[in-house]
Amino acid sequence: MFPPLTRLLTPHRIGVWTLAWVSAVTYAVLGLVRLGTFRATVFDLVIVDQTVRGYAALGPPYAPSSGVQKGYGLDFLQLADHFSPIYALLAPFYAIHDGPQTLIICQAVLFAAAIPFLWSYTRRRLGVVAAYLVSGAYAVSFPVAQAVNFDVHEVMFVPVLSAIMIERFDRGRRLPAYLAAFGLLLVKEDMGLMLIGFGAALALTRRRLDGAIVATAGLGALVLVRGVLIPWAGGSHDTHWRYDHLGESVPAALAKLAGDPLGTFHLVFGDTGKIDLLLLLCWLTLFLCLFSPLALAAAPMVLERLVSDYSLWWSADYHYNAFVVVILFCAGVDGAARLARRVATAEARRTAVVAWAVAVAVVGLTQLPRFAFDQLASPDFYRPHDRAAAAYQAMGVIPDGVVVEAANHLGPMLSHRTTVLLWEPAPRGAPWVVADLGQLAWPWGSVDDAKKAVEERRAAGYMVLFERDGFVVLHKPQG
């Protein structure tokens, strides 16, 4: 029997789901406006679109834009780059709309889907008022803002899965908790680190068997994915290796880190950018996340970035911090609950808990002007691209079904009907090229370099079929 409608539509359920759907719509608007105003990019929106398109066609998840750029060719499996088979779950939505817009909407919904589980966990620990405030703080937090502001990525699955894992284990519902934990292993090749940390947190809270199972699964997944599955798919262990200063392999890096504690400490805390990131992450919960064992679930994922030599991984921008954002909020809630137990009276405990939750919500609001959500209040954000008409004309010259090298911000508009490669200094031999010489765009060092490349293509036999407002379409007949 179905539950009565009055039970389904309780005031709090309406409130929580309203918060979630408003958040989803906000995230989707941000992403769709960026796409429609030529702010989305080949790297990474086109990569994911090509991957999901492969699954939707019941074929291999090829990512030619990534494969050609890395020197592997058009038949390059996305699983060899980042092990993210969970993208297959998005394939059915391509039957509704076949294009990058679908990915942007799915990502928005998935980020927002963590809110009900975070709300439920917080309500059980701290009460209803705190649950709304903490959930709202998550919704506007900078890790979420920066993630939905930069194309789409596998991290879209992590907040909701980690929220389910933590909330269900806390509720004593082990089966859905384990399913969410194992689902995380399908998101990316390093998610085993999160399970190792979460397993340690479970063990510290007297759930030693669960902790051992989760941590063992995480460790086993790391070995299996990096040592077997990625090489089987055609990848290499050094595809995303950013630890040359520590050695040429994971065992060598771990040995050096363990063998030199002072050097490791300096590596983690010896850069102001890394300290700023750590402070920002802990500030989300006013540092109360540090009073909870749950922080251990986030620690390996954060340390993985901080010991690398790739400065973008230490940044507060992009999507990297969204991997741990829900864990940090849950740890903050747990830390607040632990500290509240030391308060003498129930009334004082409720007051302290609500005061903390209010402060956390205020922290989230004060970060809005610094990060991506502030764009939504600016009319300029919605203004069409100055050369949009010429851009659409240029793209209209490109036939369906061809291979085309496209400027980074034009590729997403062509991905649904062509095989898009990135227009970059190294020529890729595609029969079609659509370049933008009207603005500097990654990965070009200067507009003059791009202009020179166009002239070199013309000298190599490419014909100019369209040229207007900086957009140039080149074609070289095959034969």
Side-chain angles (χ1 to χ4, degrees):
M1 295 293 293
F2 291 104
L5 184 62
T6 54
R7 183 180 171 188
L8 288 173
L9 299 179
T10 61
H12 288 312
R13 289 191 181 212
I14 294 173
V16 172
W17 284 102
T18 298
L19 174 60
W21 280 111
V22 169
S23 299
V25 170
T26 302
Y27 305 156
V29 168
L30 181 64
L32 292 173
V33 171
R34 287 182 57 81
L35 175 64
T37 53
F38 298 94
R39 294 179 174 100
T41 63
V42 172
F43 280 23
D44 295 306
L45 183 54
V46 168
I47 294 174
V48 182
D49 178 61
Q50 291 173 339
T51 300
V52 177
R53 190 177 307 281
Y55 286 123
L58 302 181
Y62 291 130
S65 56
S66 178
V68 170
Q69 200 268 345
K70 296 177 185 296
Y72 289 101
L74 294 173
D75 296 335
F76 176 71
L77 291 171
Q78 185 275 332
L79 299 172
D81 185 26
H82 286 303
F83 187 77
S84 306
I86 199 167
Y87 278 138
L89 295 179
L90 304 181
F93 297 101
Y94 268 50
I96 301 173
H97 177 78
D98 183 1
Q101 296 88 345
T102 298
L103 299 177
I104 292 171
I105 294 172
C106 286
Q107 175 171 264
V109 171
L110 285 167
F111 270 114
I115 290 174
F117 297 98
L118 177 59
W119 186 92
S120 179
Y121 177 81
T122 307
R123 182 190 63 171
R124 191 160 54 247
R125 290 304 193 88
L126 301 179
V128 169
V129 175
Y132 280 110
L133 292 168
V134 171
S135 299
Y138 160 80
V140 301
S141 64
F142 82 85
V144 175
Q146 299 310 105
V148 298
N149 188 57
F150 180 42
D151 294 348
V152 297
H153 302 86
E154 68 282 335
V155 72
M156 70 176 80
F157 296 96
V158 175
V160 63
L161 287 175
S162 56
I164 293 171
M165 178 179 70
I166 293 171
E167 193 275 334
R168 292 288 85 183
F169 264 121
D170 185 69
R171 185 73 178 269
R173 304 290 179 85
R174 297 172 69 196
L175 178 59
Y178 272 115
L179 290 176
F182 296 145
L184 285 167
L185 298 177
L186 304 178
V187 173
K188 197 178 176 187
E189 63 276 3
D190 59 354
M191 294 305 298
L193 293 172
M194 181 181 290
L195 265 62
I196 292 172
F198 185 62
L202 289 173
L204 287 176
T205 54
R206 300 182 180 180
R207 287 171 286 188
R208 294 182 179 85
L209 178 59
D210 288 326
I213 293 173
V214 171
T216 301
L219 179 60
L222 287 175
V223 174
L224 177 64
V225 172
R226 295 188 66 89
V228 178
L229 296 181
I230 288 181
W232 168 81
S236 171
H237 78 281
D238 61 354
T239 299
H240 295 283
W241 186 252
R242 299 291 188 272
Y243 308 95
D244 289 333
H245 58 298
L246 297 176
E248 298 182 354
S249 65
V250 173
L254 292 175
K256 185 166 183 177
L257 291 171
D260 185 10
L262 289 178
T264 300
F265 182 86
H266 183 267
L267 185 60
V268 173
F269 298 102
D271 186 280
T272 56
K274 297 178 181 181
I275 295 175
D276 288 345
L277 175 63
L278 289 171
L279 290 175
L280 268 175
L281 290 173
C282 293
W283 185 241
L284 290 171
T285 62
L286 298 175
F287 296 92
L288 263 61
C289 59
L290 301 177
F291 291 86
S292 169
L294 281 175
L296 292 174
M301 299 289 292
V302 175
L303 289 174
E304 176 193 29
R305 295 159 54 198
L306 295 184
V307 300
S308 76
D309 58 7
Y310 189 52
S311 61
L312 286 184
W313 285 358
W314 323 331
S315 171
D317 297 324
Y318 305 109
H319 58 289
Y320 304 112
N321 298 297
F323 283 98
V324 298
V325 61
V326 161
I327 294 173
L328 292 175
F329 275 109
C330 288
V333 169
D334 184 49
R338 290 171 180 271
L339 293 177
R341 295 180 196 139
R342 303 185 181 186
V343 179
T345 66
E347 184 63 30
R349 284 196 292 271
R350 284 194 293 270
T351 301
V353 161
V354 171
W356 171 79
V358 168
V360 166
V362 170
V363 166
L365 292 175
T366 59
Q367 290 180 339
L368 287 176
R370 177 177 174 182
F371 295 101
F373 289 144
D374 73 320
Q375 300 171 96
L376 294 168
S378 172
D380 289 340
F381 178 64
Y382 306 92
R383 186 169 292 122
H385 192 280
D386 292 340
R387 297 175 291 129
Y392 283 112
Q393 280 188 304
M395 292 186 292
V397 176
I398 308 297
D400 292 351
V402 301
V403 179
V404 55
E405 296 176 50
N408 197 32
H409 51 288
L410 297 180
M413 295 291 196
L414 291 164
S415 185
H416 68 289
R417 63 182 184 87
T418 68
T419 298
V420 172
L421 309 179
L422 180 64
W423 161 245
E424 56 184 327
R428 301 304 182 182
W432 292 87
V433 175
V434 54
D436 184 2
L437 307 182
Q439 67 181 63
L440 179 61
W442 185 85
W444 294 92
S446 69
V447 172
D448 287 338
D449 290 340
K451 291 179 178 178
K452 181 180 178 181
V454 167
E455 293 306 315
E456 290 173 349
R457 294 295 182 92
R458 295 181 67 176
Y462 281 80
M463 299 181 296
V464 176
L465 300 187
F466 177 88
E467 187 170 7
R468 177 187 166 191
D469 292 348
F471 295 103
V472 180
V473 175
L474 302 165
H475 174 56
K476 186 175 184 179
Q478 305 296 297

